[in-house]
Amino acid sequence: MSASAPACDERFAPLSAQRRFAWAVAARAALTNSLTVAALLADTDVEQVAEQLCTDPELFQIPPDVRDQAVADLDRAAAVEAMLLTPEDPDWPTAAVADLERANVTAPVALWVRGPLALTVCVDRTVAVTGARAASDYGIHVAHDMATYFAERGWCVLSGAGYGIDTAAHQAALLLSAPTIAVVAAGVDRAYPTGNTPLFDQLAERGLIVSEYPPGSPPTKSRFPERNRLVAALSTGLVICEAGARSSTLDTASWARRLHRRIAAVPGPIYSATSTGCHHLLREHTAHLAASGSDALDIVTDLGAGPAS
């Protein structure tokens, strides 16, 4: 079992190893039966919950080796200097989790984090800059400019560490030594896509990588929509630089709307397939049109813009 967080790291409470392990058990069990685990934690101490889960896993419809899995999760995290962030830690995103719960959306039991940046260091000043993976040169340029504009004004740039728009947004922030956070659909020790390993390493050294999934976890199809809801929840607003008609970014926009986050969409050429999604959001009045970083900032901060709907 891994030790508790170092006392010198103010992001984490000085929890005992036993208590952080209990959270690791709950987090692992929630991957299989999130509703039951959430119900247990609502009125029972986490250590008692962990004991129940480990004693009778069949009753709760979770893997029988949940205890061993939690031990392995903590050990893998320690190997890459990652940590399990719990609701008892100072850096827990309380407001974002509350927004998920108010919207009747499943909230994370705990989060795996890797990197020196505090998740809540930029509370109310975190913008999600995202969009197409197969982005055009135009989209990459827009994403870089948008992320740079926000970073220069003290905002944290959040994205998903994917190809295309995500990469451009993270790189723009890193170039300015500005805070940037990647919310991923795999373990915090597993670069996905693998071609972005250098970016992943930079984020681990200078920013923050966040995941609901234990270290070593591969990305699966169902985890990307779950990741998208966290992208929306952890941000003040969403800036979509480019998105096709079937882009997963539209799913992120749907979560943002459900969580009452403001959405800025950048238009593109009418003949560009990679801008079809943005045009759809604008046509349906789901997003506000942003033609510059200044526009996007006004939208995200609600300056002069009413609800898009």
Side-chain angles (χ1 to χ4, degrees):
M1 185 187 309
S2 298
S4 59
C8 60
D9 194 331
E10 296 181 354
R11 297 176 297 171
F12 302 96
L15 301 183
S16 67
Q18 179 179 345
R19 193 161 184 82
R20 201 168 293 277
F21 170 72
W23 280 111
V25 169
R28 170 57 78 165
L31 297 180
T32 306
N33 194 343
S34 60
L35 294 178
T36 295
V37 173
L40 288 170
L41 289 170
D43 54 16
T44 307
D45 183 75
V46 67
E47 292 189 48
Q48 292 178 272
V49 169
E51 186 60 33
Q52 292 178 49
L53 293 171
C54 292
T55 301
D56 200 352
E58 290 186 6
L59 175 65
F60 301 106
Q61 299 179 320
I62 60 174
D65 59 344
V66 65
R67 181 189 297 273
D68 293 338
Q69 288 182 339
V71 170
D73 293 341
L74 289 168
D75 286 342
R76 289 193 190 100
V80 294
E81 298 183 340
M83 281 295 301
L84 181 65
L85 185 68
T86 79
E88 295 182 290
D89 291 313
D91 202 30
W92 181 251
T94 304
V97 169
D99 286 344
L100 288 168
E101 292 172 343
R102 275 193 293 270
N104 293 317
V105 176
T106 303
V109 168
L111 293 168
W112 298 93
V113 295
R114 181 184 178 196
L117 185 68
L119 181 58
T120 57
V121 71
C122 301
V123 174
D124 297 329
R125 292 182 68 83
T126 298
V127 62
V129 179
T130 188
R133 285 174 292 180
S136 67
D137 290 343
Y138 165 79
I140 295 295
H141 188 82
V142 168
H144 185 276
D145 285 355
M146 287 288 181
T148 297
Y149 187 89
F150 278 90
E152 288 178 338
R153 285 154 183 79
W155 282 68
C156 176
V157 175
L158 183 149
S159 201
Y163 287 141
I165 301 301
D166 288 7
T167 294
H170 287 305
Q171 288 179 338
L174 289 167
L175 282 172
L176 293 173
S177 297
T180 184
I181 296 171
V183 182
V184 299
V188 294
D189 60 338
R190 185 165 183 161
Y192 182 84
T194 55
N196 262 2
T197 298
L199 173 65
F200 206 79
D201 291 342
Q202 288 186 65
L203 290 167
E205 291 174 6
R206 300 163 52 194
L208 192 70
I209 304 169
V210 180
S211 178
E212 283 182 84
Y213 312 107
S217 297
T220 63
K221 187 175 182 180
S222 65
R223 287 177 176 174
F224 286 95
E226 294 173 351
R227 184 276 308 269
N228 292 344
R229 92 188 192 293
L230 270 189
V231 169
L234 293 172
S235 64
T236 304
L238 184 65
V239 179
I240 303 175
C241 300
E242 192 175 47
R246 300 179 65 182
S247 172
S248 65
T249 304
L250 300 184
D251 179 62
T252 308
S254 177
W255 284 114
R257 188 177 185 185
R258 186 170 177 180
L259 295 172
H260 305 291
R261 303 297 193 262
R262 297 198 171 274
I263 306 168
V266 180
I270 62 172
Y271 303 108
S272 173
T274 52
S275 287
T276 303
C278 288
H279 297 161
H280 171 77
L281 293 173
L282 293 169
R283 185 174 63 252
E284 297 297 317
H285 304 291
T286 300
H288 293 281
L289 188 150
S292 65
S294 177
D295 286 351
L297 181 60
D298 284 353
I299 294 164
V300 169
T301 54
D302 192 23
L303 297 178
S309 58

XYZ file of all heavy atoms in Angstrom, residues 167-242:
558
model
N -4.038 19.597 -28.592
C -2.581 19.757 -28.558
C -2.183 21.214 -28.727
O -1.328 21.726 -27.990
C -1.931 18.900 -29.663
O -2.134 17.521 -29.371
C -0.433 19.160 -29.751
N -2.798 21.895 -29.679
C -2.469 23.305 -29.921
C -2.764 24.162 -28.696
O -1.994 25.071 -28.356
C -3.247 23.818 -31.127
N -3.871 23.868 -28.008
C -4.244 24.647 -26.823
C -3.247 24.436 -25.691
O -2.772 25.403 -25.066
C -5.647 24.258 -26.372
N -2.905 23.184 -25.415
C -1.931 22.900 -24.357
C -0.569 23.513 -24.682
O 0.084 24.110 -23.813
C -1.764 21.386 -24.182
C -2.912 20.697 -23.524
N -3.406 21.069 -22.291
C -3.659 19.632 -23.932
C -4.410 20.272 -21.960
N -4.584 19.392 -22.938
N -0.126 23.368 -25.917
C 1.195 23.878 -26.299
C 1.270 25.385 -26.173
O 2.303 25.928 -25.764
C 1.532 23.432 -27.723
C 1.859 21.953 -27.836
C 2.159 21.525 -29.259
O 1.755 22.180 -30.220
N 2.868 20.406 -29.410
N 0.191 26.071 -26.514
C 0.179 27.534 -26.392
C 0.373 27.947 -24.940
O 1.135 28.879 -24.641
C -1.138 28.088 -26.933
N -0.310 27.271 -24.027
C -0.159 27.588 -22.605
C 1.243 27.254 -22.114
O 1.859 28.041 -21.374
C -1.201 26.829 -21.788
N 1.769 26.109 -22.522
C 3.107 25.698 -22.094
C 4.180 26.669 -22.588
O 5.155 26.930 -21.884
C 3.400 24.278 -22.586
C 2.611 23.156 -21.898
C 2.748 21.848 -22.671
C 3.088 22.975 -20.449
N 3.998 27.190 -23.787
C 4.970 28.151 -24.331
C 5.060 29.405 -23.475
O 6.113 30.039 -23.401
C 4.583 28.531 -25.764
C 4.933 27.519 -26.851
C 4.317 27.938 -28.195
C 6.456 27.386 -26.994
N 3.949 29.742 -22.825
C 3.918 30.931 -21.969
C 4.151 30.582 -20.500
O 4.030 31.446 -19.634
C 2.566 31.629 -22.111
C 2.264 32.258 -23.477
C 0.834 32.768 -23.520
C 3.237 33.393 -23.783
N 4.463 29.322 -20.229
C 4.605 28.836 -18.843
C 3.347 29.143 -18.037
O 3.401 29.443 -16.839
C 5.841 29.467 -18.176
O 7.022 29.071 -18.846
N 2.196 29.063 -18.706
C 0.905 29.305 -18.066
C 0.317 27.969 -17.610
O 0.659 26.915 -18.151
C -0.043 29.992 -19.039
N -0.564 27.986 -16.640
C -1.153 26.732 -16.153
C -2.029 26.054 -17.205
O -2.795 26.728 -17.912
C -1.979 27.170 -14.939
C -2.249 28.618 -15.158
C -1.058 29.151 -15.872
N -1.908 24.762 -17.321
C -2.746 24.001 -18.248
C -3.047 22.628 -17.666
O -2.185 22.020 -17.021
C -2.082 23.881 -19.637
O -2.980 23.219 -20.526
C -0.761 23.132 -19.594
N -4.271 22.187 -17.860
C -4.758 20.932 -17.289
C -5.291 20.041 -18.409
O -6.028 20.515 -19.287
C -5.883 21.197 -16.269
C -5.357 22.000 -15.084
C -6.511 19.883 -15.784
C -6.453 22.483 -14.137
N -4.928 18.767 -18.374
C -5.452 17.784 -19.316
C -6.360 16.812 -18.571
O -5.942 16.200 -17.590
C -4.320 17.028 -19.992
N -7.596 16.690 -19.018
C -8.519 15.705 -18.469
C -8.564 14.553 -19.463
O -8.927 14.761 -20.631
C -9.921 16.303 -18.258
C -10.860 15.264 -17.639
C -9.855 17.535 -17.379
N -8.182 13.364 -19.031
C -7.982 12.264 -19.971
C -8.912 11.082 -19.684
O -9.457 10.950 -18.589
C -6.509 11.794 -19.949
C -5.584 12.933 -20.365
C -6.110 11.266 -18.576
N -9.047 10.214 -20.704
C -9.939 9.064 -20.605
C -9.176 7.770 -20.365
O -9.712 6.680 -20.549
C -10.763 8.947 -21.884
N -7.922 7.884 -19.938
C -7.095 6.724 -19.604
C -6.396 7.025 -18.285
O -6.635 8.066 -17.662
C -6.089 6.446 -20.712
N -5.510 6.126 -17.847
C -4.760 6.381 -16.628
C -3.799 7.542 -16.805
O -3.352 7.838 -17.922
N -3.450 8.194 -15.702
C -2.569 9.362 -15.772
C -1.125 8.988 -16.125
O -0.298 9.852 -16.373
C -2.576 10.150 -14.439
C -3.944 10.761 -14.172
C -2.128 9.268 -13.278
N -0.855 7.689 -16.154
C 0.483 7.215 -16.523
C 0.519 6.683 -17.949
O 1.529 6.132 -18.382
C 0.921 6.099 -15.568
C -0.017 4.895 -15.609
O -1.195 5.069 -16.023
O 0.401 3.789 -15.230
N -0.557 6.853 -18.671
C -0.683 6.244 -19.992
C -1.028 7.308 -21.033
O -2.168 7.767 -21.112
C -1.758 5.168 -19.943
C -1.894 4.383 -21.214
C -2.700 3.117 -20.966
N -2.790 2.305 -22.167
C -3.098 1.021 -22.174
N -3.336 0.398 -21.035
N -3.163 0.340 -23.309
N -0.042 7.708 -21.822
C -0.270 8.723 -22.846
C -1.219 8.194 -23.912
O -1.025 7.113 -24.456
C 1.054 9.124 -23.472
N -2.254 8.952 -24.179
C -3.166 8.616 -25.255
C -3.611 9.895 -25.938
O -4.092 10.807 -25.258
C -4.391 7.858 -24.746
C -5.305 7.463 -25.895
C -5.062 6.299 -26.614
C -6.356 8.277 -26.279
C -5.865 5.946 -27.694
C -7.162 7.941 -27.365
C -6.919 6.774 -28.061
O -7.705 6.444 -29.141
N -3.433 9.984 -27.254
C -2.805 9.005 -28.142
C -1.298 8.897 -27.879
O -0.676 9.847 -27.398
C -3.093 9.554 -29.539
C -3.253 11.026 -29.322
C -3.891 11.193 -27.982
N -0.726 7.749 -28.208
C 0.693 7.522 -27.898
C 1.604 8.504 -28.621
O 2.695 8.795 -28.139
C 1.098 6.088 -28.253
O 0.771 5.825 -29.630
C 0.360 5.080 -27.378
N 1.153 9.013 -29.746
C 1.957 9.994 -30.468
C 2.115 11.303 -29.713
O 2.976 12.123 -30.053
N 1.301 11.504 -28.691
C 1.386 12.722 -27.885
C 2.177 12.500 -26.601
O 2.054 13.285 -25.649
C -0.013 13.229 -27.534
C -0.468 14.349 -28.462
O 0.251 14.729 -29.395
N -1.650 14.882 -28.221
N 2.996 11.464 -26.560
C 3.790 11.180 -25.363
C 4.660 12.365 -24.934
O 4.710 12.688 -23.729
C 4.659 9.930 -25.571
O 3.791 8.805 -25.797
C 5.526 9.646 -24.356
N 5.351 13.061 -25.855
C 6.138 14.228 -25.420
C 5.280 15.304 -24.752
O 5.690 15.890 -23.741
C 6.752 14.737 -26.731
C 6.811 13.533 -27.611
C 5.571 12.758 -27.287
N 4.095 15.563 -25.308
C 3.189 16.540 -24.693
C 2.733 16.041 -23.327
O 2.687 16.808 -22.354
C 1.970 16.770 -25.590
C 0.853 17.642 -24.984
C 1.345 19.059 -24.748
C -0.376 17.644 -25.908
N 2.415 14.767 -23.237
C 1.974 14.161 -21.983
C 3.045 14.341 -20.906
O 2.742 14.680 -19.758
C 1.704 12.677 -22.225
C 0.707 12.065 -21.283
C -0.650 12.255 -21.473
C 1.113 11.295 -20.215
C -1.582 11.677 -20.625
C 0.199 10.717 -19.355
C -1.153 10.904 -19.561
N 4.302 14.124 -21.291
C 5.409 14.273 -20.339
C 5.536 15.719 -19.862
O 5.793 15.969 -18.676
C 6.714 13.818 -20.983
C 6.757 12.314 -21.225
O 5.952 11.599 -20.605
O 7.582 11.861 -22.037
N 5.355 16.674 -20.777
C 5.414 18.092 -20.385
C 4.282 18.447 -19.428
O 4.487 19.201 -18.470
C 5.320 18.979 -21.627
C 6.554 18.980 -22.509
C 6.424 19.998 -23.620
O 6.357 21.208 -23.398
N 6.361 19.511 -24.849
N 3.101 17.911 -19.694
C 1.961 18.182 -18.814
C 2.204 17.616 -17.417
O 1.845 18.232 -16.410
C 0.689 17.579 -19.407
C 0.149 18.259 -20.674
C -0.906 17.390 -21.352
C -0.426 19.626 -20.335
N 2.838 16.458 -17.350
C 3.139 15.839 -16.057
C 4.200 16.627 -15.301
O 4.200 16.662 -14.065
C 3.597 14.396 -16.257
N 5.107 17.274 -16.014
C 6.192 18.026 -15.384
C 5.788 19.440 -14.996
O 6.250 19.978 -13.987
C 7.391 18.108 -16.339
C 8.096 16.781 -16.577
C 9.178 16.887 -17.630
O 9.452 18.027 -18.094
O 9.749 15.848 -18.005
N 4.890 20.065 -15.793
C 4.622 21.489 -15.608
C 3.155 21.844 -15.417
O 2.836 22.976 -15.030
C 5.178 22.253 -16.808
C 6.681 22.083 -16.977
C 7.150 22.499 -18.372
N 6.705 23.830 -18.739
C 6.757 24.301 -19.991
N 7.221 23.550 -20.971
N 6.346 25.532 -20.247
N 2.276 20.923 -15.705
C 0.847 21.198 -15.588
C 0.159 20.193 -14.698
O 0.628 19.897 -13.603
N -0.939 19.633 -15.179
C -1.662 18.635 -14.398
C -2.432 17.724 -15.345
O -3.062 18.192 -16.297
C -2.643 19.302 -13.433
C -3.254 18.377 -12.366
C -2.201 17.969 -11.343
C -4.429 19.052 -11.669
N -2.359 16.426 -15.075
C -3.144 15.429 -15.793
C -4.162 14.866 -14.806
O -3.812 14.478 -13.695
C -2.260 14.301 -16.349
C -1.161 14.881 -17.250
C -3.096 13.293 -17.130
C -0.095 13.877 -17.636
N -5.416 14.833 -15.207
C -6.516 14.427 -14.327
C -7.290 13.283 -14.969
O -7.585 13.322 -16.171
C -7.477 15.604 -14.067
C -8.628 15.172 -13.156
C -6.738 16.788 -13.480
N -7.633 12.273 -14.175
C -8.421 11.159 -14.690
C -9.246 10.530 -13.575
O -8.831 10.501 -12.420
C -7.510 10.090 -15.303
O -8.278 8.985 -15.770
N -10.418 10.036 -13.947
C -11.214 9.234 -13.016
C -10.713 7.802 -12.950
O -11.084 7.056 -12.045
C -12.671 9.201 -13.473
C -13.461 10.443 -13.200
C -14.895 10.285 -13.636
O -15.703 9.739 -12.854
O -15.222 10.692 -14.769
N -9.895 7.427 -13.915
C -9.528 6.033 -14.085
C -8.153 5.753 -13.505
O -7.226 6.549 -13.664
C -9.598 5.666 -15.565
C -10.890 6.154 -16.160
C -10.922 7.242 -17.020
C -12.101 5.573 -15.775
C -12.120 7.735 -17.507
C -13.299 6.055 -16.258
C -13.313 7.136 -17.126
O -14.508 7.628 -17.586
N -7.975 4.622 -12.838
C -6.717 4.322 -12.151
C -5.541 4.251 -13.114
O -5.714 3.997 -14.315
C -6.989 2.946 -11.520
C -8.469 2.803 -11.484
C -8.982 3.556 -12.664
N -4.334 4.486 -12.616
C -3.136 4.349 -13.449
C -3.119 2.983 -14.141
O -3.504 1.966 -13.557
C -1.996 4.483 -12.439
C -2.566 5.337 -11.355
C -4.000 4.914 -11.246
N -2.673 2.999 -15.384
C -2.625 1.775 -16.166
C -3.880 1.518 -16.975
O -3.886 0.669 -17.866
N -4.961 2.264 -16.702
C -6.229 2.026 -17.400
C -6.136 2.441 -18.867
O -5.666 3.534 -19.178
C -7.365 2.818 -16.747
O -7.575 2.404 -15.423
N -6.608 1.590 -19.772
C -6.635 1.960 -21.187
C -7.868 2.814 -21.482
O -8.863 2.757 -20.742
C -6.738 0.607 -21.893
C -7.534 -0.225 -20.927
C -7.099 0.214 -19.557
N -7.830 3.590 -22.540
C -9.038 4.325 -22.925
C -10.044 3.363 -23.553
O -9.664 2.435 -24.261
C -8.519 5.333 -23.952
C -7.330 4.652 -24.565
C -6.709 3.846 -23.462
N -11.303 3.537 -23.260
C -12.360 2.744 -23.887
C -13.395 3.704 -24.458
O -13.454 4.880 -24.072
C -13.038 1.794 -22.892
O -13.678 2.569 -21.865
C -12.025 0.849 -22.249
N -14.219 3.197 -25.349
C -15.189 4.052 -26.031
C -16.106 4.771 -25.045
O -16.426 5.948 -25.222
C -16.004 3.209 -27.012
C -16.924 4.029 -27.903
C -17.609 3.158 -28.941
C -18.498 4.001 -29.853
N -19.172 3.155 -30.885
N -16.523 4.076 -23.997
C -17.473 4.670 -23.043
C -16.832 5.724 -22.155
O -17.543 6.545 -21.551
C -18.085 3.573 -22.168
O -17.089 2.974 -21.349
N -15.519 5.708 -22.063
C -14.857 6.640 -21.149
C -14.705 8.051 -21.712
O -14.515 9.002 -20.949
C -13.491 6.078 -20.743
C -13.625 4.907 -19.787
C -12.321 4.270 -19.418
N -12.536 3.218 -18.418
C -11.612 2.398 -17.979
N -10.370 2.484 -18.463
N -11.903 1.487 -17.069
N -14.793 8.188 -23.017
C -14.639 9.522 -23.588
C -15.829 10.433 -23.270
O -15.631 11.595 -22.890
C -14.369 9.431 -25.088
C -12.973 8.977 -25.396
C -12.698 7.642 -25.633
C -11.913 9.877 -25.396
C -11.405 7.212 -25.887
C -10.618 9.459 -25.647
C -10.359 8.126 -25.896
N -17.075 9.949 -23.375
C -18.186 10.801 -22.927
C -18.104 11.136 -21.440
O -18.445 12.251 -21.027
C -19.429 9.948 -23.240
C -18.993 9.033 -24.326
C -17.561 8.725 -24.031
N -17.647 10.185 -20.622
C -17.473 10.453 -19.194
C -16.404 11.512 -18.985
O -16.546 12.399 -18.137
C -17.100 9.161 -18.468
C -18.209 8.116 -18.465
C -17.768 6.778 -17.896
O -16.557 6.613 -17.667
O -18.625 5.914 -17.678
N -15.324 11.407 -19.763
C -14.272 12.431 -19.689
C -14.815 13.797 -20.106
O -14.495 14.828 -19.496
C -13.110 12.008 -20.602
C -11.873 12.918 -20.590
C -11.966 14.118 -21.506
N -12.316 13.812 -22.868
C -11.425 13.563 -23.832
N -10.143 13.573 -23.567
N -11.821 13.323 -25.079
N -15.656 13.810 -21.139
C -16.201 15.070 -21.644
C -17.005 15.817 -20.587
O -16.979 17.052 -20.523
C -17.064 14.818 -22.876
C -16.255 14.346 -24.073
O -15.027 14.480 -24.111
N -16.930 13.771 -25.054
N -17.736 15.076 -19.763
C -18.529 15.744 -18.718
C -17.613 16.416 -17.704
O -17.938 17.484 -17.167
C -19.488 14.757 -18.055
C -18.967 14.057 -16.822
C -19.877 12.966 -16.338
N -19.537 12.481 -15.017
C -18.436 11.806 -14.684
N -17.521 11.530 -15.600
N -18.232 11.406 -13.446
N -16.438 15.814 -17.431
C -15.483 16.428 -16.505
C -14.840 17.659 -17.115
O -14.572 18.643 -16.418
C -14.399 15.426 -16.109
C -14.641 14.563 -14.883
C -13.373 13.798 -14.530
C -15.125 15.377 -13.697
N -14.556 17.610 -18.417
C -14.011 18.782 -19.107
C -14.965 19.962 -18.923
O -14.551 21.080 -18.595
C -13.793 18.489 -20.605
C -13.497 19.782 -21.373
C -12.645 17.506 -20.794
N -16.248 19.708 -19.121
C -17.242 20.771 -18.962
C -17.355 21.217 -17.510
O -17.392 22.420 -17.213
C -18.603 20.294 -19.475
N -17.378 20.265 -16.587
C -17.581 20.598 -15.173
C -16.426 21.394 -14.586
O -16.632 22.290 -13.759
C -17.792 19.320 -14.369
N -15.208 21.076 -14.990
C -14.029 21.709 -14.400
C -13.684 23.050 -15.034
O -12.718 23.693 -14.626
C -12.825 20.766 -14.511
C -12.909 19.481 -13.676
C -11.748 18.548 -14.020
C -12.907 19.804 -12.183
N -14.456 23.472 -16.010
C -14.169 24.733 -16.689
C -15.228 25.783 -16.383
O -16.361 25.472 -16.018
C -14.079 24.515 -18.201
O -15.333 24.102 -18.710
N -14.830 27.042 -16.562
C -15.792 28.145 -16.454
C -16.641 28.224 -17.703
O -17.820 28.569 -17.653
C -15.035 29.470 -16.262
O -14.186 29.365 -15.125
C -15.989 30.632 -16.077
N -16.033 27.940 -18.830
C -16.725 27.990 -20.108
C -15.952 27.204 -21.148
O -14.823 26.771 -20.912
N -16.571 27.021 -22.296
C -16.026 26.172 -23.353
C -15.808 26.994 -24.615
O -16.710 27.717 -25.054
C -17.017 25.037 -23.622
C -16.669 23.958 -24.618
C -15.470 23.148 -24.140
C -17.872 23.031 -24.822
N -14.612 26.888 -25.201
C -14.313 27.533 -26.476
C -14.036 26.435 -27.495
O -13.057 25.700 -27.373
C -13.097 28.478 -26.367
C -12.794 29.109 -27.734
C -13.344 29.569 -25.326
N -14.904 26.322 -28.483
C -14.761 25.305 -29.520
C -14.181 25.970 -30.759
O -14.825 26.817 -31.382
C -16.107 24.641 -29.839
C -16.697 24.036 -28.559
C -15.950 23.573 -30.910
C -18.085 23.451 -28.748
N -12.972 25.574 -31.098
C -12.254 26.245 -32.184
C -12.592 25.680 -33.548
O -12.552 26.397 -34.552
C -10.749 26.141 -31.940
S -10.237 26.891 -30.386
N -12.901 24.404 -33.607
C -13.229 23.744 -34.865
C -13.807 22.377 -34.513
O -13.288 21.698 -33.632
C -11.972 23.586 -35.717
C -12.235 23.175 -37.158
C -10.956 23.154 -37.989
O -9.954 22.602 -37.520
O -10.975 23.693 -39.112
